[in-house]
Amino acid sequence: MAERIKSEAKMQLKQPVGLRSLGEYLNLSPATISLVLNNAPGVRSIPQETRDRVTKAAAEFDYRPSFYARSLRKRQSFTVGVLVPDLSDNYAAQIIAGVEEYLVEEGYFYLTASYRSKPELIDAYANLLMDRSVEGFVLIDTVIDHAMQLPVVAVAGHHSIDGVTNVVLDQKRAAELTLQHLYELGTARSHSCAAEAIARMRTTAGSV
């Protein structure tokens, strides 16, 4: 009788499973399964054999923890809002690629909004993203002049604002390296122009 019940339960588990269904199959409480799968404090009090059964069954039935339950438990959405002036811009696309790679490694995802180079839409789109429970913002080539309700990382931001971390390129150094490269590759005429430009930049930088 017990084997028949377990067999029927296993057939039902071919559908997407939750903690309760997995618990019925393993004859364990959902709390025990949650402790094991989340490697939560106190999991060491559970026998290793039980932990192995849980992880094996979770893999067998492709169990996936509920994102919403995880968010409620930790009070986090694991989501960041990204604001860009234009998604088709190559510069923005490269920055987004780097942002995505880092966020995914850290267990986060992102929502992107393009305000189509209309500054009046920045606050409205930021509010829409906050309505979707983002935990912070990454602003790419986006100018703001006031603090926002969430932490902000501004790529190419140049305003000192509370709660905003600016990531900026040293433009003078970048231009100097570019001209230096041209100097090394170019003709005698370009040598002279590049050398003059580099000298001017160094003089200007030293006077700032």
Side-chain angles (χ1 to χ4, degrees):
M1 182 68 174
E3 287 298 321
R4 183 179 66 81
I5 293 174
K6 182 171 285 190
S7 176
E8 291 176 355
K10 188 169 183 177
M11 290 177 63
Q12 293 174 358
L13 288 175
K14 290 181 180 179
Q15 299 178 354
V17 299
L19 282 178
R20 180 173 296 180
S21 298
L22 204 57
E24 290 174 356
Y25 174 69
L26 293 169
N27 196 26
L28 294 171
S29 71
T32 297
I33 295 173
S34 179
L35 282 173
V36 173
L37 296 180
N38 290 293
N39 196 27
V43 73
R44 292 184 179 180
S45 64
I46 300 172
Q48 185 62 51
E49 180 184 358
T50 300
R51 284 185 265 168
D52 292 342
R53 287 177 56 217
V54 169
T55 53
K56 180 180 178 181
E60 181 179 354
F61 297 112
D62 194 25
Y63 169 75
R64 300 180 65 182
S66 167
F67 170 79
Y68 296 106
R70 176 181 174 225
S71 296
L72 288 172
R73 184 174 64 253
K74 296 192 174 184
R75 297 183 180 180
Q76 290 180 264
S77 67
F78 302 94
T79 307
V80 172
V82 179
L83 281 170
V84 296
D86 187 350
L87 282 172
S88 65
D89 179 70
N90 185 56
Y91 171 74
Q94 291 184 59
I95 299 297
I96 290 174
V99 168
E100 177 183 10
E101 182 177 355
Y102 179 79
L103 288 176
V104 170
E105 287 179 357
E106 296 299 318
Y108 278 73
F109 200 61
Y110 65 98
L111 301 174
T112 305
S114 166
Y115 53 91
R116 304 187 301 281
S117 299
K118 298 178 180 178
E120 65 273 17
L121 293 178
I122 293 175
D123 285 339
Y125 281 16
N127 287 332
L128 288 173
L129 289 169
M130 285 192 290
D131 288 343
R132 286 152 180 78
S133 301
V134 299
E135 295 182 33
F137 293 104
V138 175
L139 308 184
I140 300 175
D141 204 17
T142 297
V143 178
I144 59 173
D145 57 8
H146 59 277
M148 303 182 76
Q149 296 180 39
L150 298 174
V152 174
V153 172
V155 179
H158 298 278
H159 296 283
S160 179
I161 301 172
D162 287 343
V164 177
T165 299
N166 291 318
V167 179
V168 297
L169 174 67
D170 186 340
Q171 303 284 358
K172 291 182 179 179
R173 179 60 177 159
E176 184 176 326
L177 289 173
T178 300
L179 290 170
Q180 183 68 43
H181 181 66
L182 292 174
Y183 177 84
E184 292 170 355
L185 295 179
T187 63
R189 182 178 179 183
S190 65
H191 285 175
S192 176
C193 293
E196 182 180 347
I198 291 172
R200 284 201 304 269
M201 289 187 63
R202 287 176 174 168
T203 301
T204 302
S207 62
V208 174

